[in-house]
Amino acid sequence: GRNENEKILSLAERGYQKFPESYEFVLMKTAIESKVNSNNARAIKVMEKYLKNNYSEAAANELVSLLFDAGEVQDGLKLLDEMIEYNSIAVGFLNTKSLVQYNLRNYTAAERITKECIEICPYVGAYYVRLGEIYSDAGKTDQAIEAYENAISFDPYDYDTHSAIRLAKGKKDIFMEFE
């Protein structure tokens, strides 16, 4: 019950006070600040303090998420750029940046970054799906279909992408045919 939760929170807080350089306790402290106390600013400060003395891609990724959750998109993108510069073939960072740009409707930037992902990992269908979504939302239907078809070539059982192709071609979703 409530008493058990309070004990767990208290233990996590004491652990962080004793071992502020332990990533596990830092992660617990940021979770407490952001989720329990609804204080994203404090969670960000905790993670930034940790990263001043320790390099950790996991911690940097967590900080990016905290920044985005706090609405500090430009700071999150800046940190992603630093992470990409430090590890230029870390396609996961590029993929995150592409998704952020896509969600911001910066389709030109999202397209460029997604193509970088494809250049590094040309056999990952998910990057072609993202490219198809970008083209679709930008009104470039033919390019969207081509990107979706490339995705299908790597993952023929991706039924969501098959559906996206049908919709892009102006056809009904296949499951609507049975109604």
Side-chain angles (χ1 to χ4, degrees):
R2 184 179 178 127
N3 244 359
E4 291 298 315
N5 288 344
E6 289 174 6
K7 284 181 186 177
I8 292 168
L9 292 173
S10 176
L11 282 172
E13 289 280 358
R14 286 200 326 251
Y16 175 72
Q17 296 307 319
K18 273 186 133 171
F19 306 104
E21 298 300 311
S22 164
Y23 180 62
E24 289 76 16
F25 285 118
V26 168
L27 202 53
M28 284 185 233
K29 177 67 173 170
T30 60
I32 290 168
E33 293 299 345
S34 67
K35 306 290 186 231
V36 177
N37 299 337
S38 299
N39 189 342
N40 280 345
R42 179 71 184 129
I44 289 167
K45 287 189 185 325
V46 169
M47 194 58 73
E48 286 174 337
K49 179 182 173 189
Y50 175 78
L51 283 167
K52 278 184 183 173
N53 299 321
N54 305 279
Y55 178 77
S56 163
E57 286 184 358
N61 238 351
E62 185 64 29
L63 180 55
V64 167
S65 293
L66 289 167
L67 290 166
F68 289 150
D69 289 347
E72 297 180 28
V73 176
Q74 294 308 313
D75 289 341
L77 287 171
K78 181 180 174 201
L79 181 55
L80 269 176
D81 284 338
E82 291 171 12
M83 293 164 66
I84 291 165
E85 186 176 320
Y86 185 77
N87 190 350
S88 62
I89 61 166
V91 74
F93 302 144
L94 283 170
N95 187 43
T96 300
K97 186 176 177 183
S98 166
L99 180 60
V100 170
Q101 293 295 351
Y102 172 73
N103 288 334
L104 292 171
R105 292 182 169 77
N106 294 336
Y107 298 127
T108 303
E111 176 187 5
R112 178 183 49 75
I113 297 164
T114 302
K115 285 181 175 179
E116 286 180 54
C117 292
I118 291 169
E119 196 173 299
I120 295 169
C121 294
Y123 306 111
V124 177
Y127 301 138
Y128 293 96
V129 171
R130 167 85 41 77
L131 195 56
E133 292 166 343
I134 293 164
Y135 288 142
S136 181
D137 286 0
K140 300 177 180 179
T141 305
D142 291 341
Q143 289 172 288
I145 292 168
E146 182 181 341
Y148 289 139
E149 287 174 345
N150 281 331
I152 294 297
S153 72
F154 297 111
D155 186 1
Y157 300 107
D158 181 352
Y159 298 111
D160 290 336
T161 302
H162 280 284
S163 179
I165 292 169
R166 288 183 61 79
L167 294 173
K169 289 181 176 180
K171 298 178 181 177
K172 285 185 182 178
D173 187 302
I174 192 72
F175 295 106
M176 301 306 282
E177 297 291 335
F178 298 107
E179 290 187 349

